[in-house]
Amino acid sequence: MTVISSLSFSALAQTKPQNDKSKFPIPDYVPDTNKVGFPIMPNASNAGNNGSVYLTLKQCIDYAMLHQPALNKSLINVDITRTTNAVNLAAWLPQVNANGDLIHYIQKPNNNISTNVGTTGNSTSTSTGTGNSARSTYANTFVPELSVSQAIVSPTLLYASKSAPLLVKQSQQLTDSTKIFLVTSVSKAFYNVLLTLEQINVLKEDTARLGRNLRDTYHQYKGGIVDETDYLQASITLNNSNTQLKQANENIIPEYAALKQLMGYDPQQQFNVSIDTVQMMNNMRIDTTQQLQYEKRIEYQELNTRRDLQFALTHYYKYAFLPTISGFFNYDLQFANNNLPNILSTSYPSSLVGVSVSIPIFTGFARLHNLHKSQLQEQLINWDAVDLKLQLTKEYDTSLANYKSNLYNFNMQQKNVAMARRVYFVVDLQYKQGIVAYLNVITAESNLITSEINYTNSLFQLLSSKVDLDKAMGNITY
């Protein structure tokens, strides 16, 4: 009787929880996917077949080179610099001007224009003094003039001639700097999008696996094999994974927006990213034995151009001691008549040619002060060069250290993923055979998810650090 009573209570204990199993229904929908690793995307050439646009990293950079507003403004600035130089150098060409004065005398001055005795046109001459000539004054005069000047020696034009190619070079270097920034920024934004997409794939895989575990645990719980806490823990783990998946799906939206902004892409249009996994793996290696060469950095090149411009300005202040020499030619036609309608009936032409020389003798020591100021600015640029070298060295050392550490981390995470998958497979098998508790499965599952996420993060951290190292070494050109 005692044995029979014990068996009855045992059966009651096993069947009693089944009355409350309606509190823990099995989920109707569990995400299912078998994607592992990088997302497999079609080539951009086949994008039209499925109605979607797929862009590789190079295509994103090429698009940015054509549509990015900052780069296009930089290109326009280069043309503006060339046009400004053309304006400044136009003074080397002959300068031709035409002007004229039309005058009507209310009160006539004496001895303005002389004529012979007699009648010229409609004018009446009056005799003055002795001899065969007389002078008269006309009420209306018109004097047009044509003047031509040619600069021969000019310190200002000499400075404009020498600085013009340097100014164009400076504008082009600013454009190159913008291009390098675009290549770096677009690459990092592109990798951020890929990182989030890969995290979504990992979380989908983990969510599907957790969904299967939840179903198995539910049936085991329903059959009285496991306790209800195992089912609750499986539900909690699945809910956490769904939350992470939802967050990743939301994060991809602003990351795409950031990539579109850098590319200058129409925000109303959509596209997908595509990547060659094999090529990406091959390109993430770099020779870390290369030495830093300052001349390859665009910042160092810009500083040298700024130094050359300052040298040219110093020489200009030295040229300011030179005289300004120009040649000129003037041609005048003088018309005069008392009757305004007949003012063009008679002309009195005159012309002249000459050379103008202007020598600055004393300017209140302004030229000496400007020369001294320019020489001091040269010293500032020299110290800027020293400071820039220190900054470039720091940037190179930092990016090299980050790349090496990320490369080591990537290799370790690669091994951790393989071991975590093996551990989870063994522990899950042991749990199904009743050897270990479900807590071991949760721990193994957590370690697997963490390892996969860490592996994904380490990969794209390595790619981003490679971009930084290429930039620090001056290897990014476009």
Side-chain angles (χ1 to χ4, degrees):
M1 292 296 296
T2 302
V3 173
I4 293 175
S5 300
S6 300
L7 292 175
S8 300
F9 282 115
S10 176
L12 181 61
Q14 292 181 5
T15 57
K16 184 177 180 179
Q18 297 179 4
N19 297 331
D20 299 329
K21 284 180 182 179
S22 59
K23 296 189 301 180
F24 310 112
I26 186 170
D28 296 332
Y29 170 75
V30 177
D32 190 11
T33 179
N34 56 1
K35 288 186 177 182
V36 180
F38 293 98
I40 301 175
M41 300 181 182
N43 296 328
S45 59
N46 299 328
N49 297 336
N50 54 13
S52 301
V53 177
Y54 290 87
L55 299 178
T56 63
L57 175 59
K58 185 178 185 304
Q59 289 172 328
C60 289
I61 295 175
D62 291 340
Y63 190 94
M65 292 297 166
L66 295 176
H67 301 88
Q68 220 288 326
L71 179 57
N72 282 281
K73 291 192 295 183
S74 181
L75 293 173
I76 294 175
N77 286 332
V78 175
D79 293 336
I80 291 176
T81 302
R82 289 195 175 98
T83 306
T84 303
N85 289 336
V87 173
N88 295 334
L89 297 176
W92 279 121
L93 299 176
Q95 308 296 304
V96 181
N97 296 293
N99 55 74
D101 296 325
L102 177 62
I103 301 173
H104 172 73
Y105 290 100
I106 299 176
Q107 294 180 344
K108 300 179 182 179
N110 293 326
N111 301 326
N112 186 35
I113 298 178
S114 63
T115 61
N116 293 329
V117 177
T119 303
T120 303
N122 295 326
S123 64
T124 302
S125 63
T126 58
S127 171
T128 60
T130 62
N132 57 0
S133 64
R135 307 178 71 85
S136 64
T137 302
Y138 292 92
N140 304 301
T141 62
F142 174 55
V143 184
E145 181 185 37
L146 179 68
S147 62
V148 181
S149 64
Q150 173 62 58
I152 300 175
V153 177
S154 174
T156 302
L157 292 178
L158 290 175
Y159 169 69
S161 300
K162 191 171 183 179
S163 62
L166 293 175
L167 291 173
V168 174
K169 182 180 179 181
Q170 186 180 54
S171 297
Q172 291 174 339
Q173 288 174 342
L174 289 175
T175 302
D176 293 338
S177 178
T178 305
K179 289 181 178 180
I180 292 174
F181 169 78
L182 273 183
V183 172
T184 304
S185 301
V186 170
S187 299
K188 288 187 174 182
F190 185 87
Y191 291 145
N192 284 338
V193 172
L194 281 178
L195 170 60
T196 305
L197 289 176
E198 179 58 15
Q199 288 177 344
I200 291 174
N201 284 339
V202 171
L203 291 172
K204 281 183 177 180
E205 178 190 0
D206 293 332
T207 302
R209 184 168 53 245
L210 289 172
R212 291 191 296 268
N213 289 343
L214 179 62
R215 286 193 294 266
D216 295 341
T217 307
Y218 175 79
H219 292 302
Q220 290 176 343
Y221 165 63
K222 187 176 181 180
I225 301 175
V226 299
D227 189 71
E228 75 173 312
T229 56
D230 290 353
Y231 175 78
L232 293 177
Q233 289 174 339
S235 300
I236 293 172
T237 306
L238 179 60
N239 291 338
N240 292 335
S241 181
N242 282 325
T243 301
Q244 293 177 349
L245 181 59
K246 175 62 176 178
Q247 291 175 346
N249 283 323
E250 295 299 330
N251 290 338
I252 197 65
I253 298 176
E255 289 177 358
Y256 259 115
L259 180 58
K260 288 180 180 180
Q261 179 187 9
L262 292 171
M263 293 172 55
Y265 201 86
D266 186 359
Q268 304 302 325
Q269 302 295 326
Q270 304 297 329
F271 71 94
N272 296 321
V273 294
S274 175
I275 194 168
D276 187 344
T277 306
V278 177
Q279 182 180 1
M280 182 186 67
M281 288 294 187
N282 294 333
N283 293 339
M284 70 181 183
R285 304 287 179 173
I286 190 173
D287 184 8
T288 57
T289 61
Q290 299 181 43
Q291 298 299 319
L292 175 62
Q293 299 179 14
Y294 300 108
E295 296 78 10
K296 297 175 64 176
R297 289 295 299 267
I298 188 63
E299 295 87 350
Y300 193 80
Q301 298 171 10
E302 290 175 335
L303 182 64
N304 286 335
T305 303
R306 187 157 62 93
R307 180 189 285 116
D308 293 339
L309 282 171
Q310 192 62 46
F311 287 163
L313 182 60
T314 302
H315 291 154
Y316 162 69
Y317 289 127
K318 293 179 181 179
Y319 295 152
F321 291 92
L322 298 176
T324 300
I325 304 175
S326 61
F328 61 90
F329 169 78
N330 292 340
Y331 181 79
D332 296 337
L333 277 177
Q334 190 174 24
F335 300 90
N337 203 296
N338 285 329
N339 295 327
L340 185 60
N342 298 325
I343 192 172
L344 299 179
S345 61
T346 305
S347 64
Y348 306 91
S350 65
S351 60
L352 58 90
V353 64
V355 177
S356 175
V357 180
S358 176
I359 302 176
I361 298 176
F362 181 72
T363 57
F365 304 106
R367 291 171 296 178
L368 293 176
H369 293 320
N370 284 330
L371 179 60
H372 181 61
K373 175 184 176 182
S374 182
Q375 291 172 343
L376 292 176
Q377 289 173 336
E378 289 180 7
Q379 297 180 17
L380 288 178
I381 295 177
N382 292 334
W383 282 112
D384 288 341
V386 175
D387 185 53
L388 178 61
K389 286 184 177 180
L390 294 174
Q391 293 179 11
L392 297 181
T393 302
K394 174 188 175 182
E395 182 179 347
Y396 169 75
D397 292 339
T398 302
S399 59
L400 180 60
N402 290 337
Y403 175 79
K404 289 182 176 180
S405 62
N406 289 331
L407 178 60
Y408 179 82
N409 183 39
F410 170 74
N411 293 329
M412 293 298 102
Q413 295 302 328
Q414 215 172 14
K415 297 178 181 178
N416 288 345
V417 169
M419 292 186 292
R421 287 177 178 172
R422 176 62 181 172
V423 169
Y424 175 78
F425 173 78
V426 174
V427 171
D428 183 61
L429 186 62
Q430 291 176 340
Y431 171 74
K432 291 178 180 178
Q433 295 177 352
I435 301 176
V436 297
Y438 189 70
L439 180 61
N440 295 25
V441 179
I442 295 178
T443 303
E445 174 68 26
S446 176
N447 291 336
L448 177 57
I449 295 176
T450 302
S451 299
E452 290 176 337
I453 296 297
N454 289 343
Y455 168 75
T456 305
N457 292 337
S458 66
L459 173 60
F460 289 97
Q461 285 175 357
L462 177 61
L463 292 172
S464 296
S465 63
K466 180 183 179 295
V467 173
D468 291 334
L469 182 57
D470 284 333
K471 178 178 178 294
M473 297 176 65
N475 293 334
I476 295 181
T477 56
Y478 209 89

